[in-house]
Coordinates of all heavy atoms in Angstrom, one line a residue:
Chain B
Y50 N 114.9 30.6 98.1 CA 115.3 30.1 99.4 C 116.1 28.8 99.3 O 116.0 28.2 98.2 CB 114.1 29.9 100.4 CG 113.1 28.9 99.9 CD1 113.2 27.6 100.5 CD2 112.1 29.1 99.0 CE1 112.4 26.6 100.1 CE2 111.3 28.1 98.6 CZ 111.4 26.9 99.1 OH 110.5 25.9 98.7
G51 N 116.8 28.5 100.3 CA 117.6 27.3 100.2 C 118.6 27.3 99.1 O 119.0 26.3 98.5
A52 N 119.0 28.5 98.8 CA 120.0 28.8 97.7 C 119.5 28.7 96.3 O 119.9 29.4 95.4 CB 121.3 28.0 97.9
S53 N 118.5 27.7 96.1 CA 118.2 27.4 94.7 C 116.7 27.1 94.5 O 116.3 26.8 93.4 CB 119.0 26.2 94.2 OG 118.8 25.1 95.0
S54 N 115.9 27.1 95.5 CA 114.5 26.8 95.4 C 113.6 28.1 95.2 O 113.8 29.1 96.0 CB 113.9 26.1 96.7 OG 114.6 24.9 96.8
R55 N 112.8 28.1 94.1 CA 112.0 29.3 93.9 C 110.8 29.3 94.8 O 110.2 28.3 95.1 CB 111.5 29.3 92.4 CG 112.4 29.9 91.4 CD 111.8 30.0 90.1 NE 111.4 28.7 89.5 CZ 112.3 27.9 88.9 NH1 113.5 28.3 88.7 NH2 111.9 26.8 88.5
A56 N 110.5 30.5 95.3 CA 109.3 30.7 96.2 C 108.1 30.6 95.3 O 108.1 30.6 94.1 CB 109.4 32.0 96.9
T57 N 106.9 30.4 96.0 CA 105.7 30.3 95.3 C 105.4 31.5 94.4 O 105.5 32.6 94.8 CB 104.5 30.2 96.4 OG1 104.8 29.1 97.3 CG2 103.2 30.0 95.7
G58 N 105.0 31.1 93.1 CA 104.6 32.2 92.2 C 105.8 32.9 91.5 O 105.5 33.8 90.7
I59 N 107.0 32.5 91.8 CA 108.2 33.2 91.1 C 108.4 32.6 89.8 O 108.6 31.3 89.7 CB 109.4 33.1 92.0 CG1 109.1 33.7 93.4 CG2 110.6 33.7 91.4 CD1 108.7 35.2 93.3
P60 N 108.5 33.4 88.7 CA 108.8 32.8 87.4 C 110.1 32.1 87.3 O 111.1 32.4 88.0 CB 108.8 34.1 86.5 CG 108.2 35.2 87.3 CD 108.4 34.8 88.7
D61 N 110.1 31.1 86.3 CA 111.3 30.3 86.2 C 112.5 31.0 85.6 O 113.6 30.4 85.4 CB 111.0 29.0 85.5 CG 110.5 29.1 84.1 OD1 110.5 30.3 83.6 OD2 110.0 28.1 83.5
R62 N 112.3 32.3 85.2 CA 113.5 33.0 84.7 C 114.4 33.4 85.8 O 115.6 33.8 85.6 CB 113.1 34.3 83.9 CG 112.4 35.3 84.7 CD 112.0 36.5 83.8 NE 111.3 37.6 84.5 CZ 110.0 37.6 84.7 NH1 109.3 36.7 84.2 NH2 109.5 38.6 85.4
F63 N 113.9 33.3 87.1 CA 114.8 33.5 88.2 C 115.4 32.2 88.7 O 114.6 31.2 88.9 CB 114.0 34.1 89.4 CG 113.5 35.5 89.1 CD1 112.3 35.8 88.6 CD2 114.3 36.6 89.5 CE1 111.9 37.1 88.3 CE2 113.9 37.9 89.3 CZ 112.7 38.1 88.7
S64 N 116.7 32.1 88.9 CA 117.3 30.9 89.4 C 118.4 31.3 90.4 O 119.1 32.3 90.2 CB 117.8 30.0 88.3 OG 118.8 30.7 87.6
G65 N 118.6 30.4 91.4 CA 119.7 30.6 92.3 C 120.6 29.4 92.4 O 120.2 28.3 92.1
S66 N 121.8 29.7 92.7 CA 122.8 28.6 92.7 C 123.9 29.0 93.7 O 124.0 30.1 94.2 CB 123.4 28.3 91.4 OG 124.2 29.5 90.9
G67 N 124.7 28.0 94.1 CA 125.9 28.3 94.9 C 125.8 27.5 96.2 O 124.8 26.8 96.5
S68 N 126.9 27.5 96.9 CA 127.0 26.8 98.2 C 128.2 27.4 99.0 O 129.1 28.1 98.4 CB 127.2 25.3 98.0 OG 128.4 25.0 97.4
G69 N 128.3 27.1 100.2 CA 129.5 27.5 101.0 C 129.5 29.0 101.2 O 128.7 29.6 102.0
T70 N 130.3 29.7 100.5 CA 130.4 31.2 100.6 C 130.1 31.9 99.4 O 130.1 33.2 99.4 CB 131.9 31.6 101.0 OG1 132.8 31.1 100.0 CG2 132.3 31.0 102.4
D71 N 129.8 31.3 98.3 CA 129.5 32.0 97.0 C 128.2 31.5 96.4 O 128.0 30.4 96.1 CB 130.7 31.7 96.0 CG 132.0 32.4 96.4 OD1 132.0 33.6 96.3 OD2 132.9 31.7 96.7
F72 N 127.4 32.6 96.2 CA 126.0 32.3 95.7 C 125.7 33.3 94.6 O 126.3 34.4 94.5 CB 125.0 32.5 96.9 CG 125.2 31.6 98.0 CD1 126.1 31.9 99.0 CD2 124.5 30.3 98.0 CE1 126.3 31.0 100.1 CE2 124.7 29.4 99.0 CZ 125.6 29.7 100.1
T73 N 124.8 32.8 93.7 CA 124.5 33.6 92.5 C 123.0 33.6 92.3 O 122.3 32.6 92.4 CB 125.2 33.1 91.3 OG1 126.6 33.1 91.5 CG2 124.8 33.9 90.0
L74 N 122.4 34.8 91.9 CA 121.1 34.9 91.5 C 121.2 35.2 90.0 O 121.8 36.2 89.6 CB 120.3 36.0 92.2 CG 118.9 36.3 91.7 CD1 117.9 35.1 91.9 CD2 118.3 37.6 92.3
T75 N 120.5 34.5 89.2 CA 120.5 34.7 87.7 C 119.0 35.0 87.3 O 118.1 34.3 87.6 CB 121.0 33.5 87.0 OG1 122.4 33.2 87.4 CG2 121.0 33.8 85.4
I76 N 118.9 36.0 86.5 CA 117.6 36.3 85.8 C 117.9 36.1 84.3 O 118.7 36.8 83.7 CB 117.1 37.8 86.1 CG1 117.2 38.1 87.6 CG2 115.7 37.9 85.5 CD1 116.9 39.5 87.9
S77 N 117.3 35.1 83.7 CA 117.7 34.6 82.4 C 117.4 35.7 81.3 O 118.3 35.9 80.4 CB 117.0 33.3 82.1 OG 115.6 33.5 82.1
R78 N 116.2 36.3 81.4 CA 115.9 37.3 80.4 C 115.1 38.4 81.2 O 114.0 38.1 81.6 CB 115.0 36.7 79.3 CG 115.8 35.9 78.3 CD 114.8 35.3 77.2 NE 114.1 36.4 76.5 CZ 114.5 37.1 75.5 NH1 115.7 36.8 75.0 NH2 113.8 38.0 74.9
L79 N 115.7 39.6 81.3 CA 115.0 40.6 82.1 C 113.7 41.1 81.5 O 113.7 41.5 80.3 CB 116.0 41.8 82.2 CG 117.1 41.6 83.3 CD1 118.2 42.6 83.0 CD2 116.6 41.7 84.7
E80 N 112.7 41.1 82.3 CA 111.5 41.7 81.9 C 111.4 43.1 82.5 O 112.1 43.4 83.5 CB 110.3 40.9 82.5 CG 110.2 39.5 81.9 CD 109.7 39.5 80.4 OE1 109.1 40.5 80.0 OE2 110.0 38.5 79.7
P81 N 110.6 44.0 82.0 CA 110.5 45.4 82.6 C 110.2 45.4 84.1 O 110.8 46.3 84.8 CB 109.4 46.0 81.8 CG 109.4 45.3 80.5 CD 109.7 43.9 80.8
E82 N 109.5 44.5 84.6 CA 109.1 44.5 86.0 C 110.3 43.9 86.9 O 110.1 44.0 88.1 CB 107.8 43.7 86.2 CG 107.9 42.2 85.9 CD 107.5 41.9 84.4 OE1 107.6 42.8 83.6 OE2 107.0 40.8 84.2
D83 N 111.4 43.5 86.3 CA 112.5 42.9 87.1 C 113.5 44.0 87.5 O 114.4 43.7 88.3 CB 113.2 41.9 86.3 CG 112.3 40.7 85.9 OD1 111.3 40.4 86.6 OD2 112.7 40.0 84.9
F84 N 113.3 45.2 87.0 CA 114.3 46.2 87.4 C 113.9 46.7 88.8 O 112.8 47.2 89.1 CB 114.2 47.4 86.4 CG 114.8 46.9 85.1 CD1 114.0 46.4 84.1 CD2 116.2 47.0 84.8 CE1 114.5 46.0 82.9 CE2 116.7 46.5 83.6 CZ 115.9 46.0 82.6
A85 N 114.8 46.4 89.7 CA 114.6 46.6 91.2 C 115.9 46.4 91.9 O 117.0 46.3 91.3 CB 113.6 45.5 91.6
V86 N 115.8 46.4 93.3 CA 117.0 46.1 94.1 C 116.8 44.7 94.6 O 115.7 44.2 95.0 CB 117.1 47.1 95.3 CG1 118.3 46.7 96.1 CG2 117.2 48.5 94.7
Y87 N 117.9 43.9 94.6 CA 117.9 42.5 95.1 C 118.9 42.4 96.3 O 120.0 42.9 96.3 CB 118.4 41.6 93.9 CG 117.4 41.6 92.8 CD1 117.4 42.6 91.8 CD2 116.4 40.6 92.7 CE1 116.4 42.6 90.8 CE2 115.4 40.6 91.7 CZ 115.5 41.6 90.8 OH 114.5 41.6 89.8
Y88 N 118.4 41.7 97.3 CA 119.1 41.4 98.5 C 119.3 39.9 98.7 O 118.3 39.2 98.5 CB 118.4 42.0 99.7 CG 118.3 43.5 99.8 CD1 117.1 44.1 99.3 CD2 119.3 44.3 100.3 CE1 117.0 45.5 99.4 CE2 119.2 45.7 100.4 CZ 118.0 46.3 99.9 OH 117.9 47.6 100.0

Side-chain angles (χ1 to χ4, degrees):
Chain B
Y50 64 96
S53 60
S54 298
R55 271 187 301 276
T57 303
I59 301 303
D61 60 8
R62 64 180 180 273
F63 291 92
S64 63
S66 63
S68 64
T70 60
D71 288 293
F72 298 88
T73 300
L74 174 70
T75 301
I76 311 171
S77 59
R78 287 178 56 87
L79 282 164
E80 297 287 340
E82 62 268 27
D83 299 336
F84 292 92
V86 179
Y87 293 84
Y88 294 94

